[in-house]
């Protein structure tokens, strides 16, 4: 038995802990905050409960694969329900799009916006299906050690997709600007502009439109709690309210972690904390990357969030509703090209009480509003208030419903909160952008090059941002750690 310390309890850390325990090791998870799940926490007030982090449950097959690795299934730990429609997108007053769960109905919806586009969608999704199967079955579980990991018949035959952008591919197949936005918005979850995202990533459209959007009863925190129960059943120990202050090393080995004034000997460390923060815990000469390296990375956006309680039910919105009634490209430029506060941001709103009434008092509506922002911005109370008022006014205009008089309360959460609560570099919400030069083996490495028993997991390393990929990242990091731990026994 070897003692392994896991830092953080986000999805990647929870996943890594499970695989390490299955591999026969004694595992202890040290969590800075009082609850597991990392960003997948909940905020409660006046009978409302809000997911503070992820609200989309996508790629259910990856969750199924994760639990199957332990002889289990997701429904043993939490319940999910497919949303139909998956979401609603507003392009302007009276101009909106519903995404039905049925593919035939979805093609008909495309045809209503642009005749003939339904057939184009079927062809596009067929190609996206191939990419999805290639990504999930062949690519994302690779540890990112070498460019040769991407060399296989499926990728070589479509190598141009790593040089062609998603935006270019969509534009060749669809002309209606609204349909382009429908197909381009899922890559926002990859943290990059469609013009900078390789067209290979259109597999996200398959995940979105075919596999669908799901809701977890009780919120995404139930998934984290479920994986915690799974981990505990295999002997994993959780130590809460225990931030790791530093990591000690001698020669080419980590020897101990320091938490709450204690030095705790350890045989190996897997850190699911923010990668740059994890490195800052190490002696300067034992880090993979410098501050200069991190400052030159292209980070995915941060976010300004609002958790809002309304005293009535709201019409003309779906569980997931996107407000694209302003310039998508202008907002992207304000995030990536000249970082600053954009004048009229696009935003996303979740109304979980549409599907799960237990998340709010009877007859009332919970809303979670997210505005993508440039990482590193400092928001003051004036900015938070101005954006909130703008969001409410635009929601009123799009839905045709008076809302400002029905607000019971709201709480904001921004870049500075991501930094303080999660030690997120520049307050990023989604890690590194999945640009070509930050894909696969070009992402920060899972292994520490100077310390043989130090490993990293999470959204800044392979395979990238998102809850399903976090589960994959945990498996990848645990696999690398187990290779070293098992070789050490021989």
């Amino acid at each position: 038995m070897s003692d392994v310390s896991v830092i953080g309890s986000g999805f990647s850390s929870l996943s890594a802990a499970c695989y390490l325990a299955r591999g026969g090791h004694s595992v202890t998870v040290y969590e800075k905050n009082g609850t597991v799940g990392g960003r997948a926490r909940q905020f409660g007030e006046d009978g409302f409960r809000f997911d503070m982090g992820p609200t989309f449950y996508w790629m259910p097959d990856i969750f199924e694969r994760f639990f199957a690795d332990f002889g289990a299934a997701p429904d043993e730990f939490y319940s999910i329900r497919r949303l139909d429609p998956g979401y609603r997108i507003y392009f302007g007053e009276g101009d909106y799009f519903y995404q039905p769960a049925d593919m035939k109905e979805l093609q008909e919806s495309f045809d209503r916006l642009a005749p003939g586009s339904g057939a184009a969608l079927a062809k596009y999704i067929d190609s996206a299906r191939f990419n999805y199967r290639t990504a999930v079955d062949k690519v994302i579980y690779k540890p990112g050690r070498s460019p040769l990991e991407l060399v296989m018949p499926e990728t070589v035959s479509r190598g141009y997709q790593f040089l062609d952008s998603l935006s270019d591919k969509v534009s060749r197949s669809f002309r209606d600007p609204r349909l382009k936005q429908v197909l381009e918005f899922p890559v926002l979850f990859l943290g990059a502009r469609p013009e900078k995202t390789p067209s290979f990533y259109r597999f996200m459209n398959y995940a979105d439109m075919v596999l669908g959007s799901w809701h977890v009863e009780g919120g995404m925190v139930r998934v984290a709690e479920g994986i915690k129960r799974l981990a505990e059943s295999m002997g994993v120990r959780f130590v809460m309210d225990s931030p790791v202050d530093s990591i000690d090393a001698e020669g080419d080995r980590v020897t101990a972690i320091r938490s709450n004034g204690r030095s705790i000997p350890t045989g190996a460390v897997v850190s699911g904390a923010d990668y740059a923060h994890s490195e800052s815990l190490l002696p300067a000469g034992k880090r993979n990357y410098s501050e200069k390296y991190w400052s030159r990375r292209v980070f995915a956006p941060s976010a300004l969030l609002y958790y809002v309680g309304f005293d009535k039910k709201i019409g003309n919105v779906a569980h997931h509703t996107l407000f694209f009634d302003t310039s998508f490209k202008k907002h992207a430029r304000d995030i990536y090209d000249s970082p600053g506060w954009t004048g009229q941001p696009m935003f996303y709103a979740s109304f979980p009480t549409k599907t799960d009434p237990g998340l709010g008092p009877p007859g009332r509506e919970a809303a979670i509003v997210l505005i993508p922002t440039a990482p590193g911005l400092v928001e003051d109370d004036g900015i938070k208030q101005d954006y909130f008022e703008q969001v409410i006014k635009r929601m009123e205009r799009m839905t045709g419903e008076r809302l400002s008089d029905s607000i019971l309360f709201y709480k904001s959460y921004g870049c500075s909160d991501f930094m303080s609560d999660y030690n997120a570099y520049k307050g990023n919400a989604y890690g590194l952008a999945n640009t070509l030069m930050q894909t696969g083996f070009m992402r920060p490495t899972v292994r520490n090059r100077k310390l043989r028993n130090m490993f990293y997991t999470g959204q800044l390393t392979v395979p990238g941002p998102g809850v399903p990929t976090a589960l994959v990242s945990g498996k990848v990091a645990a696999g690398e750690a187990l290779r070293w731990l098992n070789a050490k026994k021989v």
Side-chain angles (χ1 to χ4, degrees), residues 346-397:
M346 60 181 191
F347 64 94
Y348 150 75
S350 173
F351 300 89
T353 39
K354 290 288 181 190
T355 305
D356 194 346
L359 292 173
R364 298 185 171 182
E365 202 85 88
I368 303 161
V369 178
L370 183 152
I371 300 173
T373 65
L377 296 183
V378 177
E379 62 283 295
D380 58 31
D381 290 341
I383 289 172
K384 293 176 183 178
Q385 179 69 25
D386 288 347
Y387 273 91
F388 181 72
E389 291 176 358
Q390 181 184 154
V391 160
I392 294 299
K393 287 177 182 176
R394 283 168 55 193
M395 286 174 59
E396 288 180 329
R397 191 163 63 249

Side-chain angles (χ1 to χ4, degrees), residues 6-72:
V6 176
I7 301 175
S9 68
F11 286 108
S12 61
S13 292
L14 290 170
S15 171
C18 288
Y19 286 106
L20 289 163
R22 188 186 70 171
H25 297 280
S26 172
V27 182
T28 303
V29 176
Y30 297 89
E31 168 55 46
K32 174 181 184 286
N33 297 309
T35 56
V36 298
R39 287 163 166 77
R41 296 187 296 158
Q42 280 194 335
F43 160 68
E45 185 167 324
D46 294 345
F48 290 88
R49 284 182 292 143
F50 304 88
D51 279 328
M52 295 185 71
T55 56
F56 274 82
Y57 188 97
W58 273 10
M59 303 166 79
D61 54 327
I62 289 183
F63 292 88
E64 291 165 6
R65 184 180 296 198
F66 168 79
F67 282 101
D69 281 344
F70 304 95

